[in-house]
Amino acid sequence: MGMATLYSLFATLLFYFQLLLFVFCVLVASAAGLAASPLLALVRRRPAANWIAAQVLRVLAEQVLGVAVDVDGTEHLAHARVQPCIIVANHQSLLDVLWLACVLPHRTVVVANMFIAHLPVLGWFMRLAGNLFVRQGDKLSIKALFDGALRSLEHDRVS
């Protein structure tokens, strides 16, 4: 086995180890949000669980993975602290989750694919935090998503 093959194997193993660590960080952050959700629901601040989980994930990513995210232009989101807004992420990579953690307003409802709702820990947290789910390609699911998003923006005053 040559050095190039060993290096390639090591790089592949390192990638999967880091991916496993990232999943661990997401699970711990989800567990933190899951623990906070019932208390926040009592004070009518259930969507704040998303912000709590995001901050836990941000800190874990820095401490465990050594990944620190610096987002330019956050001053353009200052209005999100006082009025609802919509932030769209097209998820080009797993790093999108980390930059979202840096800009997420305190009261935020997240839209996610329906398969996430069925995952242990993360799905439990996402449901308990009052997030919205959509089935891709399902017109009724998309309509229900927009109805829920409009209700969140207008009635609940969350982003």
Side-chain angles (χ1 to χ4, degrees):
M1 190 178 282
M3 288 300 284
T5 305
L6 282 174
Y7 177 79
S8 178
L9 177 63
F10 178 73
T12 301
L13 289 174
L14 182 61
F15 169 79
Y16 284 109
F17 179 70
Q18 289 173 325
L19 183 61
L20 188 63
L21 281 177
F22 180 77
V23 170
F24 171 76
C25 292
V26 169
L27 288 174
V28 170
S30 297
L34 192 59
S37 290
L39 299 172
L40 292 166
L42 289 174
V43 294
R44 301 186 147 309
R45 296 281 186 216
R46 192 167 63 159
N50 291 312
W51 183 83
I52 290 170
Q55 299 318 301
V56 170
L57 179 60
R58 184 182 57 76
V59 169
L60 286 174
E62 288 177 11
Q63 299 300 314
V64 175
L65 299 172
V67 177
V69 178
D70 184 29
V71 180
D72 291 333
T74 55
E75 68 275 5
H76 300 293
L77 294 172
H79 69 280
R81 291 192 175 104
V82 293
Q83 67 183 27
C85 70
I86 297 174
I87 299 172
V88 179
N90 60 359
H91 292 308
Q92 294 295 308
S93 75
L94 290 176
L95 291 176
D96 287 359
V97 176
L98 296 179
W99 73 257
L100 278 170
C102 294
V103 301
L104 211 62
H106 285 238
R107 295 193 46 171
T108 302
V109 173
V110 174
V111 175
N113 194 306
M114 185 59 81
F115 86 90
I116 291 176
H118 303 294
L119 295 175
V121 187
L122 177 59
W124 303 334
F125 154 64
M126 295 281 289
R127 283 184 182 272
L128 198 56
N131 294 302
L132 304 173
F133 298 95
V134 64
R135 277 188 193 84
Q136 288 180 303
D138 181 346
K139 290 180 182 178
L140 291 176
S141 176
I142 293 169
K143 182 181 180 333
L145 167 70
F146 280 108
D147 291 344
L150 185 61
R151 185 175 46 256
S152 292
L153 285 168
E154 291 181 341
H155 180 266
D156 300 333
R157 304 288 299 157
V158 298
S159 296

